[in-house]
Amino acid sequence: MLKALVVRVRRGGARGDGGMTTAEYAMGTLAACAFAAVLYKIVTSDAVSGGLQSLIGRALDAQF
């Protein structure tokens, strides 16, 4: 019995996970959407928006 299992594994009969299942895709998509929503809220906040505008304004007014 053990010998047959060893032979099957050596021949490639034991297969690993070839890819993600539908549930894993769903969880990955949900996590990506949640991360995007958090980043959107951070970037559109008043503090970050003001900082970005200030940074861009200083960059455009820079002397070369």
Side-chain angles (χ1 to χ4, degrees):
M1 178 115 168
L2 181 59
K3 186 177 180 180
L5 178 62
V6 170
V7 169
R8 199 171 94 203
V9 168
R10 285 185 182 164
R11 289 183 185 163
R15 297 180 187 155
D17 292 336
M20 293 196 313
T21 63
T22 303
E24 290 169 332
Y25 277 117
M27 292 303 293
T29 302
L30 183 64
C33 289
F35 185 66
V38 169
L39 283 179
Y40 178 76
K41 282 293 195 182
I42 290 172
V43 170
T44 57
S45 69
D46 290 337
V48 175
S49 180
L52 286 173
Q53 287 177 356
S54 172
L55 178 70
I56 291 171
R58 283 185 287 149
L60 292 175
D61 290 336
Q63 298 291 324
F64 289 104

